[in-house]
């Protein structure tokens, strides 16, 4: 078995992920894949973008190679590099190259956190060429039909210096994500954390109230992810107000006035 096939096996989704569609995003993504079009996922943190990609990979029966982008991410980190092994220089594929060779999905999470010179490498993969140049090897990989490129970012978080260039944006099919409607979000929180529906709905009310503070000094309201964290703590015996403090209000801010306001929100619901 080729080395890349052994490596890619680690990226197969072992069990069907729990995901409740909010609209026609699954159908659109599947159609984009069938037409060899790349995906751009836009939405706030913790709203289900990564879970959606896991679900899509399961539905398409493809491995999912996920890269969490950051300021120090280099082109070599994505494409690959030569390493010294046993006194010899051995080429090691990066995650992007691995996904292209295997015909997998490569998901670059929070793409704007990566350096601009790094993201340029995806341009020929994201248009009709579907090529990945490996300059250090003098090799040009053409992606097989099953390969899919997907990227995500949070528009509300980005400054002018950290935004997607039009030359990147206009290569992608864009899917807008947001926090689910209250009943759907309560179902997700209950399913993922194990709390009863009454508690899940109350946690969703807390989240809605924190999200209303977004224009009053709070960068982001409570994400669905934070509600699930609070629910898991509660299910395991932590008092609900304490669970909300450490899993919801604490992560949202360090400002004493905002924390006091958030604690009042929790007290009004629980």
């Amino acid at each position: 078995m080729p080395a890349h096939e052994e490596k890619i096996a680690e990226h197969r989704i072992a069990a069907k992920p729990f995901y409740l569609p909010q609209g026609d995003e699954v159908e659109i993504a599947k159609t984009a894949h069938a037409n060899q079009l790349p995906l751009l996922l836009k939405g706030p943190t913790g709203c289900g973008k990564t879970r959606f990609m896991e679900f899509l990979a399961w539905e398409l029966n493809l491995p999912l190679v996920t890269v969490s982008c950051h300021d120090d991410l280099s082109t070599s980190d994505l494409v690959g590099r030569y390493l010294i092994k046993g006194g010899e220089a051995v080429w090691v594929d990066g995650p992007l190259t691995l996904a292209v060779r295997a015909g997998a999905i490569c998901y670059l999470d929070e793409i704007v956190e990566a350096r601009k010179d790094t993201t340029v490498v995806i341009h020929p993969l994201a248009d009709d060429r579907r090529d990945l140049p490996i300059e250090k090897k003098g090799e040009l990989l053409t992606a097989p039909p099953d390969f899919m490129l997907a990227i995500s970012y949070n528009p509300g978080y980005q400054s002018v210096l950290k935004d997607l260039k039009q030359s990147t944006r206009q290569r992608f099919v864009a899917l807008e994500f947001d926090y689910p409607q209250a009943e759907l979000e309560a179902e997700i929180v209950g399913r993922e954390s194990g709390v009863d529906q009454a508690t899940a709905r109350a946690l969703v009310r807390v989240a809605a109230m924190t999200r209303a503070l977004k224009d009053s000094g709070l960068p982001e309201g409570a994400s669905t992810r934070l509600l699930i964290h609070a629910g898991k703590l509660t299910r395991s015996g932590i008092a609900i107000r304490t669970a909300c403090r450490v899993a919801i209000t604490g992560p949202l801010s360090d400002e004493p006035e905002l924390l006091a306001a958030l604690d009042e929100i929790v007290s009004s619901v629980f």
Side-chain angles (χ1 to χ4, degrees):
M1 179 184 292
H4 75 270
E5 291 186 10
E6 293 182 8
K7 189 69 176 175
I8 203 66
E10 303 171 6
H11 296 276
R12 288 205 170 268
I13 308 297
K16 185 176 182 178
F18 172 67
Y19 179 79
L20 291 180
Q22 299 183 43
D24 55 2
E25 68 269 24
V26 176
E27 179 185 356
I28 291 172
K30 286 183 174 180
T31 305
H33 175 263
N35 286 277
Q36 300 181 15
L37 300 174
L39 279 182
L40 165 60
L41 278 53
K42 300 192 293 181
T45 183
C47 71
K49 300 188 295 296
T50 299
R51 178 60 62 88
F52 168 77
M53 288 307 305
E54 292 172 351
F55 181 77
L56 179 63
W58 172 268
E59 288 285 298
L60 294 174
N61 192 28
L62 292 174
L64 175 66
V65 180
T66 301
V67 180
S68 297
C69 298
H70 53 81
D71 289 339
D72 294 326
L73 186 73
S74 67
T75 301
S76 294
D77 292 328
L78 282 180
V79 176
R81 53 169 55 89
Y82 282 103
L83 298 177
I84 303 300
K85 293 184 178 180
E88 295 183 359
V90 178
W91 174 262
V92 177
D93 283 341
L96 182 59
T97 305
L98 176 67
V100 172
R101 289 193 197 279
I105 299 173
C106 185
Y107 173 47
L108 305 180
D109 190 20
E110 296 297 346
I111 184 70
V112 294
E113 296 298 333
R115 300 191 324 224
K116 298 296 184 186
D117 61 326
T118 300
T119 57
V120 170
V121 74
I122 71 173
H123 283 186
L125 266 179
D127 57 29
D128 56 0
R129 290 172 290 179
R130 287 172 60 84
D131 289 335
L132 176 64
I134 306 177
E135 295 180 359
K136 291 181 179 178
K137 292 187 69 181
E139 183 179 358
L140 183 66
L141 283 182
T142 298
D146 276 345
F147 171 78
M148 185 179 208
L149 179 65
I151 64 176
S152 73
Y153 85 115
N154 178 355
Y157 246 20
Q158 311 310 331
S159 66
V160 175
L161 296 177
K162 282 195 171 184
D163 200 359
L164 277 180
K165 296 189 298 184
Q166 286 296 325
S167 59
T168 303
R169 285 173 177 272
Q170 294 195 29
R171 285 171 157 82
F172 289 82
V173 172
L175 288 177
E176 299 274 356
F177 284 77
D178 204 346
Y179 300 120
Q181 302 228 343
E183 281 302 313
L184 185 60
E185 188 168 26
E187 185 176 349
I188 293 169
V189 172
R191 170 71 178 265
E192 292 286 285
S193 69
V195 297
D196 59 76
Q197 276 301 293
T199 302
R201 284 192 290 268
L203 287 168
V204 169
R205 287 200 300 276
V206 169
M209 295 166 77
T210 66
R211 292 164 191 167
L213 295 176
K214 187 172 180 180
D215 295 326
S216 302
L218 196 66
E220 288 281 348
S223 66
T224 307
R225 180 189 296 128
L226 292 187
L227 304 186
I228 293 169
H229 291 175
K232 287 181 176 180
L233 292 175
T234 301
R235 186 198 60 193
S236 297
I238 303 297
I240 186 65
R241 288 191 180 183
T242 302
C244 288
R245 175 169 52 80
V246 299
I248 298 177
T249 64
L252 286 179
S253 178
D254 296 318
E255 295 293 330
E257 291 183 3
L258 273 175
L259 284 173
L262 292 170
D263 285 339
E264 286 183 15
I265 287 173
V266 172
S267 298
S268 72
V269 175
F270 294 105

